[in-house]
């Protein structure tokens, strides 16, 4: 088969663009006397969480957002955490509140998420944020799917009228992704582990978003020629290299555009977190 080379959607470049735009905005806001502040709470010292929290702090520094770090010990009680969130909810000088997940098992994650003021819910996980997205009202959107919309738009890929298939229906990726594609006027199908004949469904997609959590599961048999393929998965292979949910080598030659792993969706998540922090100022005004 002779195919055109697929466009490689560069998440590093696009995320840097977004952060640079935000940096300019934040510096203007500062000049007008408004500072943007994000509070980041981590409970316990899970190494992966520490890396994520570190990256968020770095991004804040880059963009010019003040970050307050709360590194709480593993044995922190649910009440102590809820009290801290209540205090941060009440502070006028704090715009965004982020609780790094997962939390230790003795703390009820849902209760914690629901305790965050929806106007400060920069992760977009609060039921009110999810509901607002669903009915088209202003609110925070989960960062990874919001980043994917930016990747598509900034790569000149039209969503309106397209057959969009999302594999995965998690609360943080699949479901908000489907809602966002719908908001952009895509015709959206959500596939999951109970979908019959997955290949038949995914082959309909002009835009295929894969958030299945299975390394290299999606080979070219799942993909229509010329489709746009967005790979949300991140896995560390035995040789320490990263790979996605899509078998990139196999799929890239037949699609029109594709995100690599690493350097595709990954860098967008933090850029959109920064975007949500900046937006929070308007939402609170
Ligand atoms: P989840 O494990 O929560 O969800 C996986 C989804 O895939 C589920 O809805 C599940 O269906 C579905 N699924 C599982 N197996 C199959 C199958 N064989 N066929 C069809 N559907 C299937 O994962 P997340 O949504 O949290 O994350 C997905 C991937 O994205 C992971 O690799 C994760 O590491 C990565 N990720 C990357 C981020 C980034 O910033 N780049 C951010 C968040 C996640 P069912 O509901 O029926 O069980």
């Amino acid at each position: 088969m002779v195919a055109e080379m697929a466009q490689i959607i560069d998440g590093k470049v696009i995320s840097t663009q977004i952060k640079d735009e935000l940096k300019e905005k934040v510096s203007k806001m500062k000049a007008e006397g408004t500072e943007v502040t994000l509070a980041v709470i981590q409970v316990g010292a899970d190494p992966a969480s520490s890396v994520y929290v570190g990256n968020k702090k770095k991004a804040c520094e880059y963009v010019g957002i003040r970050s307050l770090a709360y590194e709480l010990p593993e044995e922190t009680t649910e009440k102590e955490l809820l009290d801290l969130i209540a205090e941060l909810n009440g502070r006028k000088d704090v715009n965004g509140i982020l609780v790094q997940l997962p939390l230790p098992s003795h703390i009820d994650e849902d209760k914690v998420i629901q305790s965050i003021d929806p106007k400060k819910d920069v992760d977009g996980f609060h039921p009110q944020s999810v509901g607002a997205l669903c009915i088209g009202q202003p609110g925070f959107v989960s960062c990874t799917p919001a980043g994917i919309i930016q990747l598509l738009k900034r790569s000149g890929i039209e969503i309106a009228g397209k057959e969009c298939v999302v594999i995965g229906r998690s609360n943080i990726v699949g479901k908000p992704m489907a809602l966002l594609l719908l908001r952009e006027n895509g015709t959206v199908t959500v596939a999951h582990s109970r979908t019959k004949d997955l290949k038949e469904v995914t082959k309909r997609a002009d835009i295929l978003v894969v958030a299945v959590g299975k390394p290299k599961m999606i080979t070219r048999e799942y993909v229509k020629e010329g489709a746009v393929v967005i790979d949300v998965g991140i896995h560390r292979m035995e040789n320490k290299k990263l790979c996605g949910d899509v078998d990139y080598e196999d799929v890239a030659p037949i699609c029109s555009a594709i995100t690599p792993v690493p350097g595709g969706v990954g860098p967008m998540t933090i850029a959109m977190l920064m975007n949500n922090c900046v937006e929070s100022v308007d939402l609170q005004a």
Side-chain angles (χ1 to χ4, degrees):
M1 185 183 352
V2 184
E4 299 265 322
M5 277 276 282
Q7 172 190 358
I8 297 167
I9 300 176
D10 192 334
K12 268 195 203 154
V13 167
I14 297 174
S15 66
T16 304
Q17 257 173 26
I18 292 174
K19 283 189 285 181
D20 285 340
E21 289 164 15
L22 291 169
K23 190 176 181 169
E24 218 178 289
K25 212 164 168 181
V26 166
S27 100
K28 274 196 195 128
M29 289 163 84
K30 257 188 206 156
E32 288 160 6
T34 306
E35 180 147 56
V36 187
T37 301
L38 170 67
V40 180
I41 305 172
Q42 184 182 358
V43 183
D46 171 60
S49 289
S50 299
V51 170
Y52 292 136
V53 166
N55 288 339
K56 288 168 189 175
K57 277 190 227 162
K58 258 190 251 163
C60 281
E61 268 170 47
Y62 183 87
V63 172
I65 293 173
R66 183 169 73 121
S67 69
L68 307 176
Y70 295 88
E71 282 149 22
L72 309 181
E74 178 82 23
E75 58 275 13
T76 302
T77 65
E78 187 177 280
K79 179 169 186 311
E80 284 167 334
L81 179 57
L82 293 173
D83 286 347
L84 171 61
I85 293 170
E87 181 205 319
L88 296 169
N89 280 341
R91 271 176 62 174
K92 284 228 158 60
D93 68 324
V94 173
N95 305 100
I97 302 171
L98 183 150
V99 179
Q100 184 64 44
L101 303 178
L103 289 167
S105 55
H106 65 277
I107 299 178
D108 181 344
E109 236 166 59
D110 287 334
K111 209 165 158 184
V112 169
I113 290 170
Q114 286 178 39
S115 75
I116 298 170
D117 180 345
K119 286 198 165 68
K120 300 190 175 186
D121 173 40
V122 285
D123 255 340
F125 294 165
H126 192 288
Q128 192 173 314
S129 306
V130 180
L133 169 63
C134 193
I135 60 175
Q137 286 182 357
F140 294 108
V141 179
S142 180
C143 298
T144 301
I148 291 169
I149 296 292
Q150 286 301 314
L151 281 180
L152 292 169
K153 287 192 169 172
R154 290 171 186 249
S155 304
I157 295 161
E158 173 91 27
I159 302 167
K162 295 284 175 64
E163 286 286 340
C164 304
V165 176
V166 179
I167 317 179
R169 55 172 164 182
S170 70
N171 290 336
I172 62 165
V173 187
K175 278 183 205 151
M177 187 73 250
L179 289 168
L180 282 174
L181 289 165
L182 187 60
R183 191 167 86 179
E184 299 294 332
N185 301 310
T187 302
V188 182
T189 304
V190 183
H192 46 77
S193 69
R194 306 286 288 272
T195 297
K196 276 188 201 158
D197 205 350
L198 182 63
K199 285 177 192 168
E200 211 53 56
V201 174
T202 57
K203 278 213 150 196
R204 293 206 297 259
D206 301 313
I207 298 175
L208 179 62
V209 179
V210 187
V212 69
K214 303 259 186 295
K216 297 192 181 185
M217 177 180 143
I218 300 306
T219 52
R220 63 169 69 187
E221 293 92 77
Y222 290 84
V223 181
K224 177 169 79 178
E225 201 173 333
V228 173
V229 177
I230 305 290
D231 187 356
V232 186
I234 310 178
H235 310 276
R236 182 137 340 246
M237 292 183 290
E238 271 173 25
N239 65 6
K240 302 276 185 225
K241 280 196 180 167
L242 294 176
C243 77
D245 291 344
V246 174
D247 185 341
Y248 184 91
E249 307 300 327
D250 190 52
V251 170
I254 68 151
C255 54
S256 62
I258 186 165
T259 58
V261 176
V265 173
M268 295 301 291
T269 301
I270 288 184
M272 295 318 287
L273 173 67
M274 298 298 108
N275 178 69
N276 282 354
C277 291
V278 174
E279 275 188 359
S280 72
V281 175
D282 284 338
L283 213 68
Q284 284 151 25

